[in-house]
């Protein structure tokens, strides 16, 4: 059994920022006609089966900012970007509170109901409430007979132009669908000043992941690795193929267009939060400067994080 490693560099000289995480107080929603509900002991009803959504010690089912901050402090992660996913339910009210309480630690993404017409007005309302970013789980959008989704709609282009004008960040996860990737490319080309973060590292286990990575050849487009340890969970730590994909992506678009993300809390049912980035620190496939850029400096620049707290390493009882 692989032991959770001690840190390769306990005294972090540069910031570590998580570009892909999730928070919710309770899952209570319906996706594709199937309920998703918080149960107990960290479990949820998920598409007809019981799944371990959170670590079992989170017995109340709350995936709160305070628990996340404890994990961040322990792992020496200074800041985090909180995105949203349909499977967690829309969490705008809670996330607005989180950013208000912890403005130095979190950048949060609002999310309108993208699956129904009227999301432009909702997006404007979220902007007026103070959100600086919007999240789109594009891989869960309905697809018509021609393979089109609302990502290519006139209404979506209106949202993109609004975000560009207001200096928003657009965090998007895409399906392994050539039409949807083309729809995203059209938005990027039409709104060249819009900051776009492509999630899930472009799905490197799928056929079209290069197409998603190459979107980051545009100046204001980044790719974040949220969920990459989940995608290569069968390998487990230290995720050698995941590291090869990170190296490959860096060679395609440059390390300055790549950011680390964990997909917290789902991934820490299998590994510790520190392990979700420690495999990068221990790899020889990135230089120390590339590791520093990937793990924090790129996200600090892209999302506009200010001064982050100094987080000293706290030794474990087992050390």
């Amino acid at each position: 059994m692989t032991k959770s490693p001690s840190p390769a560099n306990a005294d972090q000289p540069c910031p570590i920022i998580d570009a892909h995480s999730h928070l919710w107080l309770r899952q209570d929603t319906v996706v594709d006609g199937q309920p998703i509900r918080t149960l107990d002991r960290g479990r949820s009803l998920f598409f007809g089966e019981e799944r371990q959504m959170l670590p079992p010690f989170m017995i109340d089912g709350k995936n709160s900012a305070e628990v996340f901050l404890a994990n961040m402090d322990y792992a020496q992660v200074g800041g985090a970007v909180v995105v949203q996913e349909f499977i967690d339910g829309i969490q705008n009210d809670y996330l607005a509170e989180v950013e208000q309480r912890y403005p130095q630690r979190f950048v949060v993404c609002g999310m309108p109901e993208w699956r129904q017409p009227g999301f432009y007005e909702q997006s404007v309302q979220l902007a007026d409430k103070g959100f600086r970013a919007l999240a789109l789980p594009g891989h869960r959008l309905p697809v018509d007979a021609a393979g089109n989704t609302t990502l290519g709609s006139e209404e979506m282009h209106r949202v993109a132009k609004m975000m560009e004008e207001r200096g928003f960040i657009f965090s998007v996860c895409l399906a392994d669908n050539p039409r949807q990737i083309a729809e995203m490319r059209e938005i990027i080309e039409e709104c060249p000043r819009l900051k776009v973060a492509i999630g899930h590292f472009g799905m490197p286990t799928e056929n079209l992941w290069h197409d998603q990575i190459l979107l980051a050849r545009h100046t204001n487009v980044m790719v974040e690795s949220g969920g990459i340890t989940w995608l290569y969970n069968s390998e487990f730590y230290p995720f050698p193929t995941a590291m090869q994909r990170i190296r490959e992506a860096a060679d395609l678009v440059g390390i300055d267009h790549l950011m680390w993300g964990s997909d917290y809390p789902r991934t820490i049912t299998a590994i510790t939060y520190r392990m979700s980035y420690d495999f990068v620190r221990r790899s020889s496939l990135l230089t120390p400067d590339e590791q520093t850029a990937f793990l924090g400096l790129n996200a600090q620049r892209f999302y506009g994080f200010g001064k982050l707290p100094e987080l000293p390493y706290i030794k474990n009882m087992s050390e």
Side-chain angles (χ1 to χ4, degrees), residues 251-266:
D251 292 339
L252 284 171
V253 298
I255 195 67
D256 289 343
H257 283 267
L258 307 180
M259 304 180 291
W260 168 67
S262 70
D263 211 6
Y264 175 98
R266 297 183 237 282

Side-chain angles (χ1 to χ4, degrees), residues 24 26-30 35-38 87-91:
W24 65 81
R26 186 173 184 82
Q27 290 178 312
D28 185 8
T29 190
V30 175
I36 298 173
R37 301 279 187 271
T38 293
I87 63 172
D88 304 324
I90 294 176
Q91 302 288 329

Side-chain angles (χ1 to χ4, degrees), residues 1-7 18 55 57 68 71-72 74-77 229-230 233 236-237 239 260-279 282 313 316 318:
M1 182 176 181
T2 303
K3 183 180 178 181
S4 177
S6 59
D18 188 343
F57 54 78
F68 189 21
N71 274 282
M72 289 168 64
Y74 170 73
Q76 298 174 281
V77 175
T229 61
W230 158 64
N233 181 63
F236 204 64
Y237 188 90
F239 308 106
W260 168 67
S262 70
D263 211 6
Y264 175 98
R266 297 183 237 282
T267 48
I268 64 165
T269 58
I271 58 176
T272 68
Y273 187 45
R274 183 184 293 277
M275 289 169 74
S276 66
Y277 74 80
D278 190 67
F279 75 98
R282 291 174 176 272
Y313 178 67
N316 293 319
S318 59

Side-chain angles (χ1 to χ4, degrees), residues 124-282:
V124 171
Q125 291 170 4
L126 290 169
D128 291 342
K129 288 181 178 179
F131 282 95
R132 298 174 288 156
L134 295 181
L136 170 65
H139 58 304
R140 297 195 190 276
L141 290 175
V143 181
D144 67 19
N148 301 310
T149 69
T150 53
L151 187 59
S153 67
E154 180 182 351
E155 187 173 14
M156 185 66 74
H157 280 255
R158 289 178 64 204
V159 173
K161 290 176 182 177
M162 181 274 293
M163 289 191 291
E164 183 183 37
E165 291 171 358
R166 296 195 182 211
F168 263 50
I169 294 170
F170 195 21
S171 177
V172 185
C173 293
L174 299 172
D176 191 54
N177 177 318
R179 180 58 198 149
Q180 190 177 77
I181 296 170
E183 291 170 346
M184 189 68 246
R185 188 180 301 110
E186 290 170 6
I187 288 176
I188 291 168
E189 292 173 352
E190 185 176 301
C191 303
R193 292 181 291 108
L194 174 63
K195 287 185 171 184
V196 176
I198 304 296
H200 293 165
F201 215 61
M203 294 300 291
T205 54
E206 301 292 342
N207 294 326
L208 299 177
W209 89 279
H210 274 183
D211 294 42
Q212 293 199 42
I213 295 296
L214 290 174
L215 293 173
R217 286 185 170 175
H218 292 82
T219 303
N220 288 317
V221 180
M222 304 286 283
V223 178
E224 44 89 345
S225 69
I228 199 167
T229 61
W230 158 64
L231 293 171
Y232 293 100
N233 181 63
S234 61
E235 286 188 349
F236 204 64
Y237 188 90
F239 308 106
T241 306
M243 275 308 310
Q244 291 171 15
R245 295 295 174 265
I246 293 170
R247 177 70 265 169
E248 189 174 348
D251 292 339
L252 284 171
V253 298
I255 195 67
D256 289 343
H257 283 267
L258 307 180
M259 304 180 291
W260 168 67
S262 70
D263 211 6
Y264 175 98
R266 297 183 237 282
T267 48
I268 64 165
T269 58
I271 58 176
T272 68
Y273 187 45
R274 183 184 293 277
M275 289 169 74
S276 66
Y277 74 80
D278 190 67
F279 75 98
V280 176
R281 279 215 180 276
R282 291 174 176 272

Side-chain angles (χ1 to χ4, degrees), residues 91-101 108 129 131:
Q91 302 288 329
N92 293 326
D93 291 343
Y94 179 54
L95 294 188
E97 294 176 8
V98 168
E99 190 166 54
Q100 186 176 23
R101 289 202 302 267
V108 304
K129 288 181 178 179
F131 282 95

Side-chain angles (χ1 to χ4, degrees), residues 23 64-67 69 80 94 96-108 132 305:
L23 294 174
S64 70
E66 288 72 25
V67 172
L69 282 168
Y94 179 54
E97 294 176 8
V98 168
E99 190 166 54
Q100 186 176 23
R101 289 202 302 267
Y102 309 108
Q104 289 185 307
R105 305 298 297 275
F106 293 114
V107 170
V108 304
R132 298 174 288 156
F305 280 92

